[in-house]
Amino acid sequence: MKTIYHPSDQRGHADHGWLNAHHSFSFASYYDASRLGFGALRVLNDDIIAAGMGFGAHPHHDMEIITIINQGSLQHKDNLGNGSIITPGEVQVMSAGTGVVHSEFNPSPTEAVNLFQLWIHPKEQNIKPRYDQMKFSFQELKHGMQTLASGFNHHQCLYIHQDAAITMAKIEGGNTLHYTMNKNGNGLYAMVVAGAAEVGGQNLALRDAVGITELNQIAMSSAIGAQLLLIEVPM
């Protein structure tokens, strides 16, 4: 087993006033040669967008983009004709493929939106662009795991064009969960969303993360209770 530990206070940070962003990997003006991604996972951003603000129309291509809403709401529009507002418990997937132009905007006049956005390299380039979203009950999990998006044969989750899986896990205090890789050779990047946990022997506080490779089953425990974002990707 190999691990890499990413404390929350060592993430990249940019405060633009309307956008307060933390970057787990090199992004925009934040660059760290040791943090260019984790296998196929290229971006994990923890963004807070102020009320009434957002990103204007901008292009993407050849990337699987997954957006998870933690608090507030986000309005999406794109040149494929999609338009929606996603709220906590909803997850959005956009396969940019040959090219998509989209905008992301906080429609609330009073409340900020907090979201995770992941970029994962697809297993093939120049695919047909697609968009999808789904409502989940992961915020109501008592003890267990909910797959949000996957390229494997998981039911009742969003499809992504990669041999990867994004899962939300919740551990009750004093308990343990085990995550089993869907594919040999994949790695797991785990971030604490709430509480504190021990993952693969590494103690993690809020927004700390650990990347684990060369292990097919990973133990996750918590003394006080925790919620974890688990990202399994090819290495």
Side-chain angles (χ1 to χ4, degrees):
M1 179 180 73
K2 292 183 178 179
T3 64
I4 181 168
Y5 172 49
H6 286 165
S8 63
D9 61 1
Q10 292 183 16
R11 295 181 295 172
H13 181 228
D15 190 345
H16 303 285
W18 67 273
L19 171 67
N20 190 347
H22 286 87
H23 311 302
S24 293
F25 306 105
S26 295
F27 187 85
S29 60
Y30 166 62
Y31 179 79
D32 182 336
S34 69
R35 289 200 183 194
L36 299 179
F38 178 78
L41 176 62
R42 174 61 189 86
V43 168
L44 173 53
N45 288 344
D46 182 1
D47 291 346
I48 298 174
I49 303 172
M53 304 300 289
F55 301 93
H58 57 283
H60 292 283
H61 63 87
D62 290 328
M63 196 67 71
E64 300 295 291
I65 300 173
I66 302 99
T67 303
I68 302 170
I69 304 298
N70 297 316
Q71 180 180 351
S73 59
L74 187 74
Q75 184 174 31
H76 166 94
K77 293 182 180 180
D78 63 44
N79 65 336
L80 303 177
N82 299 299
S84 63
I85 294 177
I86 53 177
T87 57
E90 289 187 291
V91 179
Q92 168 192 289
V93 165
M94 187 172 69
S95 295
T98 54
V100 171
V101 177
H102 78 140
S103 62
E104 297 164 301
F105 184 76
N106 180 356
S108 171
T110 58
E111 183 183 11
V113 56
N114 175 227
L115 59 90
F116 294 129
Q117 189 165 92
L118 294 69
W119 295 8
I120 294 176
H121 291 288
K123 58 185 176 183
E124 293 178 284
Q125 295 190 334
N126 296 317
I127 63 173
K128 182 180 179 180
R130 60 182 293 274
Y131 173 90
D132 201 0
Q133 68 184 62
M134 189 175 290
K135 178 78 172 180
F136 294 92
S137 59
F138 61 80
Q139 292 187 328
E140 300 172 7
L141 277 176
K142 299 301 181 185
H143 181 73
M145 292 183 279
Q146 170 70 63
T147 302
L148 308 179
S150 173
F152 302 105
N153 188 26
H154 288 300
H155 297 292
Q156 297 182 328
C157 76
L158 293 160
Y159 174 78
I160 50 176
H161 198 69
Q162 180 55 275
D163 294 332
I166 295 116
T167 301
M168 197 67 76
K170 194 162 188 178
I171 309 171
E172 291 186 340
N175 285 276
T176 299
L177 287 177
H178 292 86
Y179 183 90
T180 301
M181 295 292 185
N182 291 277
K183 184 178 180 180
N184 288 339
N186 277 6
L188 185 73
Y189 193 82
M191 173 183 278
V192 174
V193 177
E198 181 181 310
V199 180
Q202 175 66 58
N203 289 320
L204 302 174
L206 184 65
R207 293 302 198 266
D208 288 351
V210 62
I212 300 173
T213 56
E214 301 181 8
L215 190 66
N216 283 331
Q217 189 176 76
I218 296 164
M220 307 175 294
S221 61
S222 177
I224 64 171
Q227 187 169 327
L228 299 166
L229 177 63
L230 309 176
I231 308 163
E232 177 190 342
V233 288
M235 300 306 295

